[in-house]
Amino acid sequence: MILDLERFQTQAGPRWSNLESLLVAIEGRPDRRLSPVEAEQLQELYAQAAVDLNRVTHGALAPELRQYLERLVARAYSELHYVPPTRSELWQPRRWLRIFTLFPETFRQQSRYFALSLLITLLGCALGGLAVRYDPAAVDVLLPVNYLRNPGQRVHEEEQGKNQDRHSTQTEAAFSAQLIRHNIEVAMLAAALGVTFGIGTALLLFENGVLLGAVAVRYSQQGFGLFMSAWLLPHGVFEIPSILIAGQAGFYLARVLLRRREDRDVRQSMREWLVLIAGTAMMLVWAGVMEAFFSQHHEPVLPYWLKVAVGGAELALLTAYLALIGRRKTGAEADYRIPAETK
């Protein structure tokens, strides 16, 4: 039987709208409880939408309409079968540990925004590096701090042990906490600036790239490339990717805002955004600890080759984690992801 698509949408459209309005009302409640009237109405509208989905699926027509009905039916199904978690369930470690698998999975799903974040940062690095290399006046503008402008003086002081009195346990702990707070603030800003449709996120990433490129070229120009690598790698292999992932979250938020009329599952999209933010925060905690307790110790306390090796090992582990963890679907992911299709 041939389906008259236009007539079908005209007849069924009002009940789809009613179902969507009811779902929005239910999802907006903290407890998501249904009254008897709402439960009966939801069950009826869900059954009708499922029949409509079956007709569209078997007719192989209108892929956008089929996708819309799939999401609508899936949302209705999840509300009909929703069971509020008990207090004991909320405090189960397994629920909180799921972030360690959800984070790399979400990172891979939205990897195109990470690629954009990386590209903008590299462009900033190129500009900062070229400016320092070919324009001496740019050094004072881009590197206002003395230890960045004069790497030779800093390396001499570190290798002579003149700064060792600053490396007490209490000082390092306070410095670590300050770094973690500052880096998380920057990452949150990069992610939140997605509300500017990604423009603010791009500017922040570009600025960070300019500074990073300027520092790298300045130290390498004066023959301290090994010192710089040993200084930056142990914490930078987590700190720099975490800022890039924060930028990824910012661009993803911009996409959600730009396509909110097309993407009817905004709730799911914001969950993914929050997962990226949570993963970024975890990475920055480790980066702050490494920078305060490890990266700031130089030769003769810690040999440069050891620090570079530790940074390389961290990078390999982080790459494997983001690329491999969470590839296999598990039952624990069921209450995070809304099913894509209901038959």
Side-chain angles (χ1 to χ4, degrees), residues 54-72:
N54 187 57
R55 294 181 65 184
V56 174
T57 302
H58 286 291
L61 297 170
E64 293 184 0
L65 176 60
R66 177 171 57 83
Q67 186 180 31
Y68 165 64
L69 287 175
E70 285 175 349
R71 292 182 177 181
L72 191 62

Side-chain angles (χ1 to χ4, degrees), residues 22 29 33-44 80:
L22 179 59
R29 301 170 187 167
R33 294 185 180 276
L34 297 174
S35 67
V37 175
E38 287 177 328
E40 183 179 353
Q41 184 182 8
L42 180 60
Q43 176 64 46
E44 181 181 353
L80 283 170

Side-chain angles (χ1 to χ4, degrees), residues 318-336:
L318 177 62
T319 302
Y321 169 69
L322 293 175
L324 302 176
I325 298 300
R327 282 195 174 275
R328 293 183 178 180
K329 301 292 183 181
T330 62
E333 295 177 3
D335 29 317
Y336 167 73

Side-chain angles (χ1 to χ4, degrees), residues 169-326:
T169 303
Q170 290 182 341
T171 302
E172 288 176 337
F175 184 46
S176 176
Q178 180 182 358
L179 288 170
I180 292 170
R181 185 186 67 181
H182 173 264
N183 290 337
I184 289 179
E185 287 176 353
V186 173
M188 288 296 297
L189 179 61
L193 282 174
V195 299
T196 64
F197 301 105
I199 297 174
T201 300
L203 291 175
L204 182 59
L205 290 172
F206 189 79
E207 180 185 0
N208 283 343
V210 169
L211 179 60
L212 183 60
V215 171
V217 170
R218 184 63 174 173
Y219 272 74
S220 300
Q221 248 184 348
Q222 300 194 6
F224 300 110
L226 179 59
F227 175 89
M228 180 198 67
S229 300
W231 165 40
L232 294 179
L233 277 177
H235 67 276
V237 295
F238 273 82
E239 182 178 306
I240 295 173
S242 66
I243 299 300
L244 294 176
I245 294 174
Q248 175 187 15
F251 291 130
Y252 181 55
L253 178 60
R255 175 261 184 190
V256 173
L257 294 176
L258 288 169
R259 298 183 58 186
R260 63 185 183 276
R261 293 184 180 179
E262 302 174 24
D263 187 0
R264 301 177 186 276
D265 197 2
V266 176
R267 185 180 181 186
Q268 173 67 27
S269 299
M270 293 309 298
R271 285 180 180 176
E272 293 184 350
W273 185 80
L274 289 172
V275 167
L276 289 174
I277 296 299
T280 298
M282 292 189 298
M283 291 173 60
L284 286 173
V285 169
W286 176 253
V289 171
M290 287 297 293
E291 184 171 0
F293 290 94
F294 190 82
S295 295
Q296 300 301 326
H297 294 278
H298 308 286
E299 284 190 348
V301 178
L302 289 175
Y304 294 148
W305 66 265
L306 174 62
K307 297 177 68 178
V308 171
V310 169
E314 286 180 307
L315 180 59
L317 290 172
L318 177 62
T319 302
Y321 169 69
L322 293 175
L324 302 176
I325 298 300

